[in-house]
Structures are given as C-alpha cells and as structure tokens.
Amino acid sequence: MPVVVLILSAISVGGFAFGLRGAMDKGDKSQAVSTAPLAEVSGVPVREAQPVVAVAPPPPPVEAPKPKPVEVVEAPDEAASVVEAVPTTPAPIAEKKPEPPAQTTPQRIEDLY
C-alpha cells in the first residue's frame, strides 16, 4: 500500500512540474505573436480601419403627467358641540397580598424534589 501511494505522489508531482514548465515556456518562435495592427492582419487597409465613434441620438423628452384639478368642497361652519365628561373617582386601592416567604437554597439534592 505505501508503494502505491509513493508512486501516485511521484506521478502527481512530475505532472505538475511538466505542466508548469510548459506553461512558462515561451513556445516556438514560428508561432510568435504578430506586432502588426489587427487591421493589416485582417487585410483591411489601415486608413479604412479607423474606429467609428457611435453617437446615439438623445432620447425623446418625457412629458410629465398633468395634474388633475381638485374640487374643494367647503363644509359649513357649525358651532362645535362640547361634551362634558363625568368626573371620575379614583379606583379603590386593592389590598396588598402578603409576600411569600423567601425560599431557602436547598442543602441536599433530595431537597430539590
């Protein structure tokens, strides 16, 4: 069993090292990246390949909704009626209940039950 783990670990480390070396390698010189502008690579002459700035027309103005006229209905002024409340008497004070005696802390486990 330890031999299998050792072999699999060695294969993993080796694969990682070769993959890292391949990623860091600059590659073949025949596959070098072109330094010519993209327009020349695609076959379009450079003077015709100028970028065109697209200018969008401004959006049409949005018309604000017109407020509807509000009808004002005036109520006739009437004398406000005053309602007098009956004077309240204070509620009788209820008798205080005697406080229960303070509980003592149990001294033994049997006192809890």
Side-chain angles (χ1 to χ4, degrees), residues 2 4 10 15 19 28 38 44 48 55 58 65 71 74 76 84 88 94 99 103 112:
V4 173
D28 195 18
L38 290 177
V44 178
E48 294 177 12
V55 179
E71 296 179 11
E74 294 183 17
E84 293 184 15
T88 59
E99 293 182 12
Q103 294 183 353
L112 292 175

Side-chain angles (χ1 to χ4, degrees), residues 37-58:
L38 290 177
E40 291 180 0
V41 173
S42 64
V44 178
V46 175
R47 59 188 153 97
E48 294 177 12
Q50 295 298 324
V52 178
V53 178
V55 179

Side-chain angles (χ1 to χ4, degrees), residues 86-109:
V86 177
T88 59
T89 58
I93 299 174
E95 294 181 15
K96 292 184 178 179
K97 295 182 180 178
E99 293 182 12
Q103 294 183 353
T104 59
T105 57
Q107 301 297 322
R108 299 180 302 174
I109 192 74

Side-chain angles (χ1 to χ4, degrees), residues 1-89:
M1 182 73 176
V3 175
V4 173
V5 172
L6 181 66
I7 291 172
L8 289 176
S9 299
I11 290 172
S12 297
V13 170
F16 178 76
F18 279 112
L20 185 61
R21 190 177 126 241
M24 303 265 306
D25 192 15
K26 299 260 181 186
D28 195 18
K29 296 295 179 188
S30 64
Q31 296 179 353
V33 178
S34 173
T35 57
L38 290 177
E40 291 180 0
V41 173
S42 64
V44 178
V46 175
R47 59 188 153 97
E48 294 177 12
Q50 295 298 324
V52 178
V53 178
V55 179
V62 179
E63 294 181 17
K66 296 180 181 177
K68 296 179 181 178
V70 179
E71 296 179 11
V72 178
V73 178
E74 294 183 17
D77 292 335
E78 296 180 4
S81 60
V82 178
V83 177
E84 293 184 15
V86 177
T88 59
T89 58

